[in-house]
Amino acid sequence: MSESDVTRDGVQGVRPGREATAGTGGDRRGRHRRRRGRGEQPMVPDASFSSYYGKPVLNKPTWKPLDIAGYLYLGGLAGASSLLAAGGQLTGRPGLAAPAKLGAAGAISLSLAALVHDLGRPARFLNMLRVFKPTSPMSVGSWLLAGYAPLTLTAAATEVAGRYRLLGSAATVASAVLGPALATYTAVLLSDTAVPSWHEGHRELPFVFAGSAATAASGLALAAAPTAQVGPARRMAVLGAALELGAFRLMKRRMGLAAEPFEQGGPHLLLRAAEALTTGGAALALLSGRLRERRLAVAAGAALLTGSAALRFGVFHAGVASAEDPKYTVLPQRERLAAQGS
């Protein structure tokens, strides 16, 4: 074929051969797309979600599970216990206030120890106090811990010593003011990360942690305080269980695919155990109030404490699992883009 055979309208005087099939594939793809639009099965398998060199899309959290999940749990226990301590003190229930103060002091001490152990050395925690950034949950939480812990320890120390009652009362009330923030800021801390199963639950996770903190603190009070003075703890147990279980179910329903790690493997077992223990603990707390039975109150307290811990560990491990699988990052992003384009 000479150059003169080629015109602006294409090749002249030559019948299309096997090479002249350009566009046929496009017709096939068009028909294929039309068939798929009519509900037929796709001819290619679904894409697998992976990144270059087989590395995950996200780097999974490197936090030590025992340290950080324990830090989440103990911080919630301390914050809610401060509320019970102040309530017991203001309503003339010293048998309830005393174990709540001691429990809050012990829990916040262990929580700080777990955090420092995960950081590696105490200087790293002190370095976080060099600046205050209102937009950083980590910075706000560090300052919250730095203000809350001395107040709680002062309240417990004056309770044990039996001296400086006025100072102890002021520290108890002040720690109760900070208690709700301490019990829930860790949920904001997790939700502010890119981990799918934590981030997608940012609306409800603070309520889940608030309910979990309430059940843990009420469980400690039920187990340690005299039965005649644990009425507020029983009511807190029931309200906390309702908040925790209701908010967690609502969160899973709204999260869509990102809720899947909550229903698989170890996290599923932990969360099912948490649900059963929390429900049973709240029921036993109510029953112990009717029967005035000390052993039922102790059993309720043990169930509530264990259920709250299982919830925190389940949420932690589910988040790590969601970061390891790229589909929990890729698919929700595609769905959001499709929703914006429609």
Side-chain angles (χ1 to χ4, degrees), residues 30-306:
R31 288 196 297 272
H32 179 59
R33 283 194 293 269
R34 288 193 291 274
R35 288 193 199 107
R36 292 186 63 179
R38 291 196 295 268
E40 295 186 5
Q41 296 295 321
M43 300 300 293
V44 295
D46 293 336
S48 60
F49 300 98
S50 61
S51 60
Y52 291 114
Y53 305 108
K55 293 186 177 296
V57 176
L58 296 177
N59 290 325
K60 70 175 184 178
T62 57
W63 296 331
K64 301 178 185 72
L66 184 59
D67 287 343
I68 297 305
Y71 161 71
L72 302 177
Y73 167 64
L74 292 168
L77 172 61
S81 291
S82 290
L83 283 176
L84 271 181
Q89 180 175 286
L90 295 175
T91 58
R93 292 182 172 90
L96 172 63
K101 291 178 187 178
L102 297 177
I108 198 61
S109 300
L110 292 174
S111 178
L112 278 169
L115 177 61
V116 169
H117 185 260
D118 184 76
L119 292 173
R121 56 179 184 269
R124 289 179 175 165
F125 175 73
L126 297 177
N127 285 338
M128 291 192 291
L129 301 177
R130 291 184 304 174
V131 295
F132 177 72
K133 292 177 65 177
T135 57
S136 168
M138 179 64 78
S139 178
V140 173
S142 301
W143 278 101
L144 187 59
L145 281 172
Y148 173 83
L151 292 171
T152 309
L153 293 174
T154 300
T158 55
E159 179 68 31
V160 172
R163 302 177 64 184
Y164 306 109
R165 294 286 186 185
L166 186 60
L167 175 63
S169 298
T172 301
V173 173
S175 61
V177 171
L178 297 179
L182 185 77
T184 54
Y185 95 91
T186 49
V188 181
L189 184 66
L190 295 183
S191 302
D192 196 48
T193 65
V195 175
S197 291
W198 295 341
H199 182 75
E200 295 296 327
H202 65 278
R203 293 179 183 168
E204 295 87 5
L205 196 57
F207 296 99
V208 175
F209 275 25
S212 174
T215 56
S218 58
L220 178 63
L222 285 165
T227 306
Q229 296 191 12
V230 294
R234 280 196 296 270
R235 290 187 283 276
M236 179 183 273
V238 175
L239 292 175
L243 178 61
E244 175 191 322
L245 298 175
F248 194 68
R249 290 194 176 190
L250 178 63
M251 182 180 79
K252 287 195 298 182
R253 188 161 58 243
R254 193 189 59 78
M255 287 171 63
L257 181 65
E260 197 173 82
F262 293 128
E263 304 294 338
Q264 296 176 342
H268 176 64
L269 295 177
L270 284 168
L271 293 170
R272 289 298 299 271
E275 184 176 359
L277 288 166
T278 301
T279 304
L284 286 174
L286 283 176
L287 190 60
S288 69
R290 288 178 176 273
L291 302 179
R292 300 290 177 182
E293 175 60 50
R294 174 69 183 157
R295 286 175 295 183
L296 283 178
V298 172
L304 291 169
L305 282 165
T306 310

